[in-house]
Amino acid sequence: MRTLVKPLRKLSLLSVPPLKRTQTNSDSSGDTPPTKTVAPSSPSLEQQGRVLRLPDEIALCILSQLDFENLVQAQLTCRLWRSLAQDAYLWKRPCGAITSQHEDLKNFGDDDALSWPARYCRLQSKLNWKMGAVQRVKLINVPTSRLLSVKLRDQLLLTLSEDNVVQLYKYDVEQGFVLNLTWKFCGQRQVECIDLLPEIHTVVVACRGSKCMFYDVASKNPLEPIQVLKGGAHSWFIPDDVALTCDYFALSGRKPSAVFVWNWRKGVRLSHKVRKGKRKKRNTKNSPRHLTLLFRIRRLIISLMLCTSLAIT
């Protein structure tokens, strides 16, 4: 590295000997930064750029033109920039601007135990809460009917309404959640469960009767299913919950109580489990067959009694 740098010293400022840096230590007024001459902390200063060779007064004037985010980023450059970016001269003015316009926040900026950057962060956070910048509310245009299910994954929101409509929203920083896709299942069986997996851009919809449809929201035709699965032959099976991964899909429900697992990409059902409840003992005393038998026996007894009475007479 040294052999590469030596020829460049003739054409650059690297050959200039390092100047003595001045480290600031502002007084209580904070109008002009007083200087204090100190020696450079390390010999690597001669390899720094032109900005680091400026006097501290000019460097602070340049840094004072930066906003909060850029000033924080400037602290990550090197130790010298960090010491300059944390100087009280850069933070007293924005703190005073906040307290002059909002006198109720003045107490939060008078804590001498905190540094000036910490005071500014505290004042700015209190100001954001006061002005409502932190509590921005973006309304979502949902259907007028009642929502039955909501799924939130990363920046995608999936909703299921009572009128068999499934809607997919995508989050935008300025507009909030914006409607992206809508599936209408009018005239079909009631949709019971929904789920989505943003990693593979897949949405699954489970209808009554264990019919499950998969949609690729990133395809050219996202409203057409890429896979349709059916759990069993029970037409009144009601799904309660679904779980989706990159390759597998599970569905649980009732009437009858069952759990189905598929490799949904291949369309192969791996396993299913039906919960069989305990059979209740049959009450034979009140069964129709038992009552019919008793009625026949009773009629037979009555007919025998009539025969015997007629024979005696």
Side-chain angles (χ1 to χ4, degrees), residues 4-5 51 61 78 104 154 177 188 245 249 263 295 301 310:
L4 295 176
V5 173
V51 178
C61 291
C78 62
D104 54 337
D154 294 340
F177 283 97
Q188 301 185 22
T245 64
F249 170 72
N263 185 331
F295 182 72
I301 293 174
L310 290 174

Side-chain angles (χ1 to χ4, degrees), residues 42-61:
S42 63
S44 62
L45 184 61
E46 64 175 351
Q47 299 181 4
Q48 302 294 338
R50 298 181 180 180
V51 178
L52 297 183
R53 301 182 182 278
L54 295 175
D56 286 348
E57 295 83 356
I58 300 177
L60 289 175
C61 291

Side-chain angles (χ1 to χ4, degrees), residues 248-305:
Y248 300 99
F249 170 72
L251 171 67
S252 64
R254 63 187 187 278
K255 294 185 180 180
S257 298
V259 177
F260 301 95
V261 180
W262 286 279
N263 185 331
W264 66 271
R265 293 185 181 273
K266 298 180 180 180
V268 179
R269 189 171 69 180
L270 302 177
S271 63
H272 70 280
K273 180 180 180 182
V274 180
R275 297 180 181 177
K276 296 181 179 180
K278 295 181 179 180
R279 293 185 177 180
K280 297 182 179 179
K281 294 183 178 180
R282 193 171 182 179
N283 190 1
T284 57
K285 294 183 178 180
N286 297 327
S287 62
R289 183 178 299 178
H290 181 71
L291 294 176
T292 304
L293 182 60
L294 289 177
F295 182 72
R296 289 180 179 179
I297 295 174
R298 184 179 179 183
R299 287 182 61 184
L300 181 59
I301 293 174
I302 294 174
S303 62
L304 290 175
M305 291 176 63

Side-chain angles (χ1 to χ4, degrees), residues 93-134:
R93 290 185 178 181
C95 291
I98 295 176
T99 55
S100 61
Q101 297 180 0
H102 306 275
E103 296 182 357
D104 54 337
L105 301 179
K106 190 174 182 179
N107 295 329
F108 296 100
D110 294 340
D111 191 356
D112 296 335
L114 299 177
S115 61
W116 280 104
R119 296 185 197 181
Y120 176 78
C121 294
R122 187 177 182 183
L123 284 173
Q124 189 64 44
S125 62
K126 295 295 181 180
L127 180 62
N128 291 337
W129 281 105
K130 178 181 177 181
M131 303 302 295
V134 183

